[in-house]
Amino acid sequence: MLAELQLELARFRAAPVASGPVSTGRVVSCDGGLIEVAGLALPIGSLGAIASGEGDEALAEVIGFRAGHSLMMLLGDTQLLRPNAQVRALGSPGTVRVGQALLGRAVDALGRAIDGGPAPDCQDDWPLGGRREAALERAGVREPFDCGVRAINALATMGVGQRVGVIAGSGVGKSVLLDMIAGHAEADITVVALVGERAREVSDFVARHMVGARRGRMVVVAVPADHAPNLRLRAAQHATAIAEHFRSKGKRVLLVLDSLTRVAHAARELALVLGEPGAARGYPPSALAAITRLVERAGNSAQSGGAITGLYTVLADGDDTNDPVVDTARAILDGHLVLSRELAQRGHYPAIDIPASLSRVMDDIVPAETAEAARSLRALIASREDNRDLVMMGAYRAGSDPVLDRALEQSSAIDAFLRQPRSALAALDASLAAMRALAEAGPAQ
């Protein structure tokens, strides 16, 4: 304890002290969570501290401005605000602190430690909204990415720098699949953003992964579901900023964001508070644009040689894969993995619907014969699933469809190949070799 206090004191002594005046303003209105502040002209995304009691302050973020007044929203729980309460500016507008000190740590959207350790001593600044790169500064996806899950490695091979969505309804196994990938994937740094999740899931994830050798290569940014919408949106932006920082250092980063839908929900809440009308099923245009901006920040950097491989979960409300968020994500991502509730109900995990899943870069990163073997095996799986009811009723006559006959004869081997225990690791080379052997196996004589 004393050692930690000494470290904190040393950090305080080394910290620069601002000698200039502090910008302040006054609360003039508070309506429906929207706080109007006069006399404090700050850029959108800036933070401020509002005096809320005897020595207490509430954190708030600037989300807009109107008639010369800054519009702010609280970043924490509801506070006892009063008219004319003083508001002072905090930190550097639009930037977050990043650095090596975040490795092995769990923090919130403001960079504050939530793992019981000391505050991370980060030395670098990075824009919360990222640094825009020209299209030609992005390198193509040329190398396969080992995610540690056999069905994905073999039949929807990911690439280094690819952006992939995991699309499914609630309770189908998205979190378990992300857990497997976060624990087994080959990456220099893994950044995990848990946005709008249950607090129990956050603590369970930290307890499972913040141990052993992998801890020093992982950062967790978590904001549970009961926090303010601007804090949830900020968590996704903060995690992406951390990943961008490490990419600029030439690192290969795996960015896991769970979930993109809850980010869109948070952006929708903010837009509606600001008076923006709803459009597609109640989603204002800015809410869907927030998804595009977030996803586009991942990818390969031709300048640094680093990469951000993005894995984003997309919650299909009511299993509706035509939801606006699902459509927007599917259009901007480089591939998608669809999880099937029917497979999950049969105890088939991971419950990946292979025929409905796709990696748009697979043909560019694997040999032609491997891609052909994958297409052959996908055809067998699709034929078996499409005719499952017919076969179960006994209405199918053997010999009518050679592809279905072969699929049925290899059904047990296909299921054994696609299933994988949560703790098991399936390396990329082994997965591709097993897939080729299964696809080349002829029908039983």
Side-chain angles (χ1 to χ4, degrees):
M1 186 66 180
L2 289 176
E4 291 181 0
L5 288 175
Q6 289 174 349
L7 287 174
E8 286 295 303
L9 288 174
R11 187 170 65 86
F12 289 151
R13 284 194 296 267
V17 179
S19 56
V22 177
S23 300
T24 60
R26 295 283 177 179
V27 173
V28 296
S29 155
C30 182
D31 182 17
L34 194 63
I35 303 167
E36 196 167 338
V37 178
L40 189 63
L42 294 175
I44 293 175
S46 302
L47 299 181
I50 305 176
S52 60
E54 297 182 359
D56 295 331
E57 290 183 326
L59 282 180
E61 180 183 13
V62 178
I63 60 173
F65 49 85
R66 180 189 301 142
H69 291 175
S70 296
L71 304 179
M72 308 184 77
M73 177 175 280
L74 290 176
L75 283 168
D77 297 328
T78 302
Q79 300 287 337
L80 298 175
L81 301 181
R82 65 180 186 274
N84 294 319
Q86 188 181 63
V87 185
R88 63 184 180 88
L90 290 178
S92 301
T95 63
V96 291
R97 304 289 286 178
V98 294
Q100 295 287 330
L102 288 170
L103 295 177
R105 304 300 306 275
V107 298
D108 65 7
L110 298 173
R112 300 175 300 196
I114 60 173
D115 54 7
D121 186 15
C122 298
Q123 303 298 325
D124 300 322
D125 289 326
W126 195 269
L128 185 63
R131 294 176 180 169
R132 186 184 299 275
E133 294 182 337
L136 296 183
E137 292 178 359
R138 287 292 178 86
V141 179
R142 296 291 181 264
E143 298 180 41
F145 177 82
D146 187 355
C147 70
V149 179
R150 184 165 47 246
I152 301 174
N153 276 342
L155 297 170
T157 311
M158 295 172 59
V160 175
Q162 185 180 5
R163 292 84 54 89
V164 179
V166 179
I167 302 172
S170 58
V172 187
K174 294 188 305 302
S175 298
V176 174
L177 180 60
L178 290 189
D179 198 67
M180 293 173 65
I181 296 175
H184 299 318
E186 290 294 329
D188 297 330
I189 306 290
T190 301
V191 180
V192 181
L194 302 176
V195 182
E197 294 296 321
R198 294 180 290 272
R200 176 192 59 79
E201 289 189 349
V202 174
S203 60
D204 287 350
F205 186 93
V206 171
R208 283 194 304 272
H209 292 280
M210 290 300 193
V211 293
R214 294 189 71 90
R215 174 174 182 171
R217 295 186 282 121
M218 181 174 288
V219 183
V220 175
V221 181
V223 174
D226 59 342
H227 286 59
N230 49 343
L231 202 60
R232 281 178 269 141
L233 178 60
R234 193 181 182 91
Q237 295 171 330
H238 193 174
T240 307
I242 294 171
E244 287 176 319
H245 166 74
F246 286 115
R247 178 180 63 186
S248 70
K249 304 296 184 183
K251 301 294 186 180
R252 293 189 171 184
V253 183
L254 170 63
L255 173 62
V256 179
L257 200 160
D258 187 16
S259 80
L260 205 60
T261 303
R262 294 191 175 99
V263 173
H265 290 173
R268 177 177 61 182
E269 291 181 49
L270 292 177
L272 294 177
V273 165
L274 290 172
E276 186 177 348
R281 297 195 189 179
Y283 286 96
S286 64
L288 299 179
I291 297 176
T292 303
R293 287 195 300 270
L294 203 61
V295 170
E296 270 299 296
R297 293 168 64 179
N300 293 325
S301 172
Q303 182 178 7
S304 69
I308 298 177
T309 304
L311 193 66
Y312 306 88
T313 64
V314 185
L315 179 63
D317 292 332
D319 291 344
D320 180 12
T321 55
N322 295 317
D323 180 86
V325 177
V326 178
D327 270 345
T328 302
R330 193 161 40 201
I332 195 66
L333 292 168
D334 302 320
H336 53 270
L337 305 170
V338 179
L339 301 191
S340 166
R341 189 173 299 277
E342 183 180 351
L343 288 175
Q345 290 172 345
R346 299 206 303 256
H348 184 292
Y349 288 102
I352 302 172
D353 186 345
I354 296 297
S357 302
L358 175 69
S359 172
R360 296 179 182 175
V361 303
M362 181 174 178
D363 288 348
D364 298 329
I365 58 177
V366 299
E369 58 273 15
T370 299
E372 181 59 34
R375 284 191 288 269
S376 174
L377 186 55
R378 288 170 69 96
L380 295 180
I381 297 169
S383 178
R384 186 186 66 167
E385 293 301 319
D386 289 344
N387 295 279
R388 181 177 178 82
D389 291 340
L390 195 65
V391 173
M392 295 296 290
M393 290 187 299
Y396 174 72
R397 294 180 57 186
S400 301
D401 184 346
V403 175
L404 180 56
D405 290 340
R406 182 181 173 192
L408 295 176
E409 289 171 353
Q410 295 184 264
S411 183
S412 297
I414 290 173
D415 283 338
F417 176 80
L418 296 178
R419 288 174 174 166
Q420 183 176 335
R422 183 173 186 167
S423 58
L425 168 64
L428 176 65
D429 292 341
S431 300
L432 292 175
M435 182 267 294
R436 287 192 295 266
L438 184 59
E440 293 167 2
Q445 301 296 326

